[in-house]
Amino acid sequence: MRYRSSRTLVFHNDGDAFVACNFLTKAVFECSPDLLEFLRALDDWSATVAIRDLAPGYSEEELTETLASLVEMSALVEENSALHAREDAFTRNWKWGVPAALLHFCVQDPDYMSLNEAEDLQRSTLAAEGEKDDPVKVVEAEHKALERALDRAIVTPTPENVKAYLELNQRLMAQAGDFADAWRGAIWSNPSLDYSLVSPVGSSAYVKA
């Protein structure tokens, strides 16, 4: 088994000690000078045998337990693990720098939400605010949900995220189509509302005798 230090760690000087945060896993832990040096030394994949040379005072059992603990707190990454895959995906797809990544992944809620869950959340939020029947608020919520779904699909283009965006976009397009059909029906039923008949131009124009 091989290990390396996580590439999604950020560090903060908290006065008495450094605090590390892995923004992909939201894990936060205190980082001693010895641990900082250890993580710096493991910037590339290393087997347990090679790592043992970096911790000469540890027995084999102690080293195994320490490595497991560091993996659990997301300080180290185990090769071919779930975190390894997440870091690779982040490296390939994220183009906006570490500060933006810290905000997006650690401060905000990055967890995937299905279309039905998103709609349920919108309804409950509107109901809680007493705006369930306010068409302006409903449309605003729908547009925000579409924008959020698109942003998530761009930043993390997984099949689930892209599918969620396409489903929501298709639903809103169908809603817009219903409005267009109703518009045409209202014009046909009320010709006086058809501006092209009231003020025709081009080939539709005629001069009233």
Side-chain angles (χ1 to χ4, degrees):
M1 186 61 63
R2 299 199 302 170
Y3 305 85
R4 64 162 168 75
S5 56
S6 173
R7 291 173 180 167
T8 54
L9 288 172
V10 293
F11 299 90
H12 167 65
N13 189 343
D14 199 30
D16 296 332
F18 276 94
V19 175
C21 173
N22 190 315
F23 53 76
L24 282 187
T25 64
K26 299 182 181 179
V28 178
F29 55 92
E30 187 174 304
C31 199
S32 67
D34 288 341
L35 179 54
L36 279 172
E37 180 62 24
F38 184 74
L39 294 176
R40 187 199 64 78
L42 286 179
D43 61 343
D44 202 358
W45 295 113
S46 300
T48 307
V49 175
I51 296 174
R52 188 177 294 116
D53 294 336
L54 301 175
Y58 284 71
S59 67
E60 185 171 347
E61 182 179 356
E62 289 173 336
L63 181 60
T64 300
E65 292 177 354
T66 299
L67 292 177
S69 178
L70 292 174
V71 168
E72 184 177 2
M73 67 174 64
S74 304
L76 290 183
V77 178
E78 192 175 54
E79 191 173 24
N80 298 322
S81 64
L83 183 55
H84 180 192
R86 290 181 66 185
E87 284 195 358
D88 280 355
F90 169 80
T91 301
R92 289 194 308 270
N93 299 310
W94 188 260
K95 310 298 181 185
W96 297 275
V98 171
L102 179 63
L103 173 66
H104 179 80
F105 291 99
C106 196
V107 178
Q108 295 183 345
D109 181 9
D111 295 334
Y112 170 74
M113 182 180 292
S114 69
L115 177 61
N116 290 334
E117 290 172 336
E119 291 179 340
D120 290 341
L121 179 60
Q122 291 175 42
R123 295 190 188 98
S124 62
T125 301
L126 291 174
E129 296 176 353
E131 299 170 341
K132 185 176 181 180
D133 298 323
D134 187 338
V136 175
K137 297 298 181 182
V138 171
V139 171
E140 287 179 352
E142 289 176 342
H143 287 172
K144 288 181 180 179
L146 183 64
E147 290 176 0
R148 184 176 178 83
L150 177 59
D151 290 343
R152 181 181 287 113
I154 291 174
V155 172
T156 311
T158 62
E160 294 82 4
N161 288 346
V162 174
K163 178 175 179 288
Y165 167 72
L166 292 175
E167 287 179 342
L168 184 54
N169 185 61
Q170 187 176 37
R171 182 166 301 186
L172 293 183
M173 289 180 64
Q175 184 174 315
D178 292 340
F179 170 75
D181 291 340
W183 175 289
R184 286 191 292 268
I187 293 296
W188 291 337
S189 301
N190 302 274
S192 62
L193 299 177
D194 190 342
Y195 186 77
S196 66
L197 297 179
V198 176
S199 300
V201 294
S203 59
S204 300
Y206 68 91
V207 178
K208 185 176 181 179

